[in-house]
Amino acid sequence: MAYTTAAAAYTTSAAASYSTASYGSGSSSWGGSGYDSCVQQCMGSYGSMGSYSPPPSSTTNSSSSGSSGSSGTGATHTVIVAPTQGVLRYVPFAVNASVGDTVLFMWGANNHTVTKSSQLEICNKTSDAPFATGEQNTSFTFSQVVNDTNTTFFYCGTTGHCEKGMFGMINPPSVGQGQLGSVAAMMPAMMTNSSSMTAMQAYTNMMTANNSVAAAWGSSMDMTNIPDWAQQSFAENVMFTRTFLAANPETINDDGTVSLGNLNGNPLMIPQDITAVASSAAPSSAAAVTAVATETSSAGTAASTAGALKGTSGARSLQSSGFLIGVVAALLGAFVAL
């Protein structure tokens, strides 16, 4: 792949107060069997958004060009590199792009990289047409032109970040809906063996309750050849992206594709990182595990329904001082025109 780097600035601001959230949990019945209390515990303990302070502004990096010196001729797909300080995620976790498209990485926090890797060595720089930004700070951007549709893995090279789950993909491997090895098929088994995974899925289900497309995002991604150590992080990244999309419902299209350009100037709502749920979760009952697994399977089915209704998550009426990233429409529009 050929690539270019560029620098641009976008603003960050803290959220004002919002009215009570309406995610379909609080007063709704989740089918009993212990799941109702699990969801209520998530609501009470974790809330819908974390409270973040804007990352400190950094000096805009000077532009530099890579081997191609130009951007692609197709669409531009935006990926946020760490939406706020302390959240070690790429958002969205994966994008699908055609030959000639450009993937634009925008830094939302300091001290992160975008470095190409491989499926078997997710946290190691590849020697196959490598790209690496070096450690960069808020407001830096990096554009990667897609030359083929093979799966491309990338990760944050800052010490310890990739091992904590900060990796992502362009053109992720996929299988048929619900088939062996898919996220939809793997998640129930993963939750059976992990109370923290159960808590994270319960929280994700709560956040995406009124948005079937967000709830099913990533269900067909293939985890078959993902190293064992990275499988939970893979699932966590899928769940975090789902909560992000539900918090910003305009960014997900009816076909499940993600477009941050749909914000049209609205601020970006950043949900609490999914691992914060796991770290505070009490052990879940077997009944709750079963209920969450059922919800996961239902979400996978919803994704394949043509014209599925996205609904609204109520994210913009949250009572929280959650962190906002002002990814303004003017900036995104400028890069779409690349």
Side-chain angles (χ1 to χ4, degrees):
M1 291 184 177
Y3 66 95
T4 60
T5 58
Y10 61 94
T11 60
T12 59
S13 60
S17 295
Y18 296 85
S19 57
T20 303
S22 106
Y23 279 100
S25 47
S27 61
S28 300
S29 172
W30 290 82
S33 300
Y35 188 50
D36 217 23
S37 61
C38 178
V39 172
Q40 297 303 327
Q41 181 182 350
C42 288
M43 283 282 286
S45 300
Y46 316 123
S48 305
M49 297 281 180
S51 296
Y52 297 108
S53 299
S57 298
S58 62
T59 302
T60 301
N61 295 278
S62 58
S63 298
S64 60
S65 60
S67 58
S68 72
S70 62
S71 60
T73 57
T76 296
H77 309 271
T78 303
V79 175
I80 300 173
V81 180
T84 189
Q85 208 70 35
V87 176
L88 304 181
R89 307 287 176 196
Y90 293 101
V91 184
F93 169 50
V95 295
N96 288 295
S98 301
V99 173
D101 287 358
T102 299
V103 179
L104 174 68
F105 296 91
M106 303 176 66
W107 271 244
N110 295 333
N111 305 319
H112 297 292
T113 85
V114 173
T115 307
K116 185 179 178 182
S117 62
S118 66
Q119 183 167 248
L120 295 180
E121 294 187 283
I122 292 175
C123 295
N124 292 285
K125 183 178 178 180
T126 183
S127 59
D128 178 21
F131 58 77
T133 64
E135 197 167 81
Q136 304 295 341
N137 295 324
T138 305
S139 301
F140 187 78
T141 66
F142 167 78
S143 59
Q144 172 70 34
V145 179
V146 176
N147 288 336
D148 58 58
T149 57
N150 296 329
T151 301
T152 297
F153 283 78
F154 53 85
Y155 70 103
C156 179
T158 300
T159 302
H161 287 190
C162 181
E163 290 78 6
K164 292 179 181 178
M166 194 169 180
F167 59 87
M169 297 175 290
I170 301 170
N171 293 321
S174 64
V175 293
Q177 188 66 42
Q179 288 188 9
L180 187 66
S182 68
V183 168
M186 294 282 284
M187 288 283 282
M190 295 175 73
M191 287 182 291
T192 298
N193 297 319
S194 171
S195 60
S196 63
M197 284 289 290
T198 302
M200 286 187 278
Q201 183 60 48
Y203 177 73
T204 303
N205 287 345
M206 176 193 71
M207 291 288 285
T208 61
N210 294 332
N211 192 323
S212 61
V213 181
W217 185 89
S219 293
S220 63
M221 290 184 190
D222 187 4
M223 297 178 64
T224 303
N225 295 315
I226 299 299
D228 291 346
W229 73 265
Q231 288 184 3
Q232 178 164 326
S233 293
F234 190 110
E236 290 172 3
N237 279 308
V238 169
M239 288 188 285
F240 182 77
T241 295
R242 289 174 176 177
T243 65
F244 171 89
L245 295 174
N248 301 276
E250 63 270 54
T251 63
I252 187 167
N253 302 315
D254 289 337
D255 62 359
T257 57
V258 179
S259 178
L260 297 183
N262 294 345
L263 285 166
N264 294 322
N266 289 322
L268 200 61
M269 304 296 290
I270 307 301
Q272 185 177 19
D273 190 27
I274 202 78
T275 53
V277 178
S279 64
S280 302
S284 301
S285 67
V289 172
T290 302
V292 175
T294 300
E295 289 291 328
T296 303
S297 298
S298 299
T301 302
S304 61
T305 305
L309 295 177
K310 290 189 294 180
T312 56
S313 68
R316 301 209 180 279
S317 61
L318 290 169
Q319 184 174 11
S320 170
S321 58
F323 185 74
L324 299 177
I325 294 184
V327 184
V328 295
L331 176 63
L332 290 174
F335 279 103
V336 167
L338 286 174

